[in-house]
Amino acid sequence: MRKFSFWLWAVVIFQFVTAAFHAVSLFVNPSPQNDTEKQLFGLMDSYHMPLGMGFNPTFADLLWALSSCFAWLYLFAGLMNLYLYKKKIPINVMKGVMGINLIIFGISFGIMAALTFLPPIVCTGLVFVSCVGAYFTANSKV
């Protein structure tokens, strides 16, 4: 039970850290380093894609929405895991919850590893590894 508790706390802490890092990134406004980046940033903020039904977002709008949802997902999962741990639910139920975490954050880690850069890869990787540890150290006996 001690090993499971360690891994569960690691999951929760890494989920909160990942949420915090991603939330902070929503308020950082990078500055372009050259003319190509200046043009790219200008288009991301000004070009409105006509997607139909009156929906005309910019790429910056879509990026902001995806980034904020990513932060909210990790915050929600961390709070839910912490709440369930504090309520002392049976370990077999908690193992199932960790199994769900393992699938969701494993897929998230795979996507981050394939499509992003080092900080989100490391953060999601730490969450995933912690989920693996929590899942496999949970005893299925109550």
Side-chain angles (χ1 to χ4, degrees):
M1 186 66 179
R2 274 192 209 164
K3 287 182 181 180
F4 173 72
S5 182
F6 167 80
W7 285 111
L8 181 62
W9 278 106
V11 170
V12 169
I13 289 167
F14 289 138
Q15 285 172 330
F16 286 159
V17 167
T18 302
F21 281 165
H22 222 75
V24 167
S25 75
L26 295 171
F27 302 104
V28 174
N29 195 8
S31 58
Q33 302 298 313
N34 55 47
D35 289 337
T36 304
E37 287 182 7
K38 186 175 182 177
Q39 182 181 14
L40 176 65
F41 287 5
L43 287 171
M44 286 182 67
D45 290 331
S46 64
Y47 178 69
H48 292 267
M49 297 176 296
L51 298 178
M53 296 189 286
F55 186 63
N56 299 313
T58 65
F59 276 104
D61 294 336
L62 293 175
L63 186 62
W64 196 90
L66 288 171
S67 292
S68 63
C69 286
F70 185 80
W72 282 112
L73 170 69
Y74 277 81
L75 179 63
F76 170 75
L79 289 171
M80 183 62 68
N81 291 332
L82 183 61
Y83 174 78
L84 294 173
Y85 178 73
K86 292 289 185 181
K87 286 294 184 180
K88 299 185 186 312
I89 64 170
I91 193 71
N92 60 339
V93 176
M94 201 63 200
K95 183 172 183 163
V97 170
M98 283 298 105
I100 294 168
N101 275 257
L102 184 63
I103 293 167
I104 297 299
F105 296 112
I107 293 169
S108 177
F109 174 58
I111 292 169
M112 294 298 135
L115 301 174
T116 65
F117 51 99
L118 197 56
I121 293 169
V122 169
C123 287
T124 56
L126 289 171
V127 171
F128 175 64
V129 167
S130 300
C131 287
V132 169
Y135 181 79
F136 287 109
T137 57
N139 298 332
S140 51
K141 296 180 183 175
V142 178

